[in-house]
Amino acid sequence: MEKKPKVLFIFQLPPPVHGASLMNDLINQSHAINNNIIFDPYYINLTTAKDINDVGKNKFSKYFGALSIYKKLLLTLLKNKIDLSYITLSPHGIAFYKDSLIILILRLFRIKRVIHLHGKGINAIIKTNRFKKSLYAFIFKNAKVIHLSPKLYFDIKEIVKKENIYFLANGIGHKEVIKKESVNNRLLYLSNLQETKGSFILLQAARILKERNVDFNVDFVGKWHKDKSFKEKFISYIRENGLSNIVKHHGAKYGKDKETFLENSSVFVLPTFYKNECFPISILEAMSYGLIVISTYEGAISEIVDNNKTGLLLDKVDPIELANKIEFLLKSKDKMLEMGVQAQSKFKLCYTKEIFENKLIQIISDILKTYE
């Protein structure tokens, strides 16, 4: 019997919890991928940060973690004939240079490479820095690339040819959720509490809606970002504008605790303008529960959310426009029900764990064939 090719997965696993680490953990735990008939998977965990607020920080302990990873990689390559490597590359920052050394090692061993991107920002860097453009070109040379959406190809088109790129949308596991028969006026924000994710814009919109005598509540679920001044600003705004009976912050929630918020809400709001935003897992979670999504055109969000069908997208990230969108929905119950059903249907059609797993297996199979 012919031996299956060996594919080495090199990626970050939680903690910390963020979009890329969640998708990597899905792969790591996937029965379909670990028992597929096409290739044998091997795994190396790249994580050196233990908390989301450590990501991008230059901590001394992370250097020891990186050295341990390089050692494990070298031993794996020396002991096994790896046919293909799969790495989730951090597109910039300190983590990019750490990952670049891994790719250099893979190139020295002549290992074929698949680079899976979960972020953006490369195009902005290479436009202003020739050295970094050359470095990115070296890192991506002769590699196949997986990105989240065709809407993000612009970010790497200067260094990756179209024939070398594959697109794979995120997917998540979900429990079977009964279709909502009614809607309420409860809004949900589910993400890290930071300014660029739009949490303060939602808070400002809440003040506007209160002044308009709109009946609603907002639950903020997420961990405070490392910026302590933002936390103080956020809490002060609630107190100074009399929002404490309308707005609640519940901290980070996981598992059944998080599910309770998704089950008890009707509208999910993420007015993000985060520069590295691409394909938010939180939006997929909301759609799986039949929530209507209000968000922005950042990254590939407009691929996930069909404007005026499964949700509403802001033409500009502005508290007044956000308040107008929320008010429109809350005063259109029939529209809310219809959009919630459409959101849940699109999730099941495009963004489940099973769809992601099968597509990834197929992409790796196709890439392996190109090297035969």
Side-chain angles (χ1 to χ4, degrees), residues 111-123:
I111 306 295
K112 299 172 180 67
R113 300 168 307 286
V114 180
I115 296 173
H116 195 159
L117 290 170
H118 287 273
K120 60 182 172 71
I122 293 174
N123 186 56

Side-chain angles (χ1 to χ4, degrees), residues 84-131:
L84 186 69
S85 62
Y86 167 107
I87 180 169
T88 53
L89 177 75
S90 299
H92 39 66
I94 295 170
F96 167 72
Y97 294 103
K98 180 190 76 176
D99 296 349
S100 295
L101 282 173
I102 289 172
I103 290 177
L104 176 60
I105 292 170
L106 293 169
R107 289 192 64 171
L108 289 172
F109 277 80
R110 300 182 181 275
I111 306 295
K112 299 172 180 67
R113 300 168 307 286
V114 180
I115 296 173
H116 195 159
L117 290 170
H118 287 273
K120 60 182 172 71
I122 293 174
N123 186 56
I125 295 170
I126 64 178
K127 274 185 175 179
T128 59
N129 191 308
R130 285 186 178 183
F131 168 75

Side-chain angles (χ1 to χ4, degrees), residues 147-367:
H147 216 327
L148 297 160
S149 164
K151 290 182 180 293
L152 299 169
Y153 177 59
F154 79 92
D155 197 49
I156 54 172
K157 67 179 182 180
E158 297 294 323
I159 50 176
V160 179
K161 296 178 180 178
K162 278 189 174 180
E163 57 264 32
N164 288 330
I165 192 161
Y166 301 77
F167 297 107
L168 176 63
N170 286 336
I172 60 170
H174 70 291
K175 69 176 188 178
E176 194 61 35
V177 179
I178 299 172
K179 182 178 71 175
K180 293 180 185 289
E181 299 295 336
S182 62
V183 291
N184 58 37
N185 288 8
R186 188 166 289 278
L187 315 177
L188 176 64
Y189 173 96
L190 178 61
S191 188
N192 292 320
L193 268 290
Q194 63 189 78
E195 190 133 17
T196 55
K197 288 284 187 174
S199 53
F200 195 74
I201 288 170
L202 176 54
L203 199 58
Q204 291 173 303
R207 178 187 61 80
I208 295 168
L209 292 168
K210 176 177 177 284
E211 291 172 353
R212 295 178 184 176
N213 294 314
V214 177
D215 179 30
F216 73 102
N217 290 91
V218 187
D219 291 306
F220 284 88
V221 177
K223 188 172 185 177
W224 288 110
H225 194 246
K226 55 190 173 184
D227 183 359
K228 292 182 180 179
S229 64
F230 176 71
K231 180 179 178 180
E232 294 169 2
K233 173 183 173 182
F234 191 94
I235 294 172
S236 296
Y237 193 90
I238 293 173
R239 183 179 60 252
E240 292 166 4
N241 291 278
L243 296 172
S244 57
N245 291 329
I246 298 170
V247 173
K248 302 291 183 185
H249 174 242
H250 304 273
K253 300 293 178 183
Y254 305 100
K256 290 184 178 180
D257 290 336
K258 181 170 72 171
E259 290 172 6
T260 299
F261 284 99
L262 289 162
E263 288 168 352
N264 294 331
S265 306
S266 288
V267 182
F268 175 80
V269 188
L270 186 71
T272 178
F273 54 100
Y274 178 51
K275 66 179 181 178
N276 296 325
E277 197 77 81
C278 286
F279 213 100
I281 298 291
S282 58
I283 289 181
L284 303 186
E285 290 177 321
M287 290 172 65
S288 76
Y289 279 79
L291 274 66
I292 304 103
V293 175
I294 301 179
S295 193
T296 66
Y297 285 90
E298 194 66 52
I301 291 174
S302 61
E303 178 180 311
I304 311 169
V305 180
D306 299 320
N307 194 29
N308 293 315
K309 186 177 180 182
T310 64
L312 299 174
L313 296 175
L314 302 173
D315 293 317
K316 59 179 179 177
V317 187
D318 173 81
I320 295 175
E321 180 171 354
L322 177 57
N324 291 341
K325 298 282 190 186
I326 294 171
E327 185 175 11
F328 164 75
L329 274 182
L330 296 183
K331 292 182 177 180
S332 311
K333 300 298 185 185
D334 290 342
K335 182 73 171 174
M336 286 179 69
L337 273 172
E338 178 188 343
M339 293 176 81
V341 170
Q342 294 281 0
Q344 194 173 50
S345 296
K346 183 171 183 182
F347 168 79
K348 291 179 179 179
L349 186 66
C350 303
Y351 304 123
T352 67
K353 168 179 175 284
E354 293 75 19
I355 292 169
F356 173 85
E357 290 169 331
N358 291 332
K359 285 186 176 180
L360 179 59
I361 291 169
Q362 186 59 57
I363 287 172
I364 292 177
S365 174
D366 291 344
I367 290 172

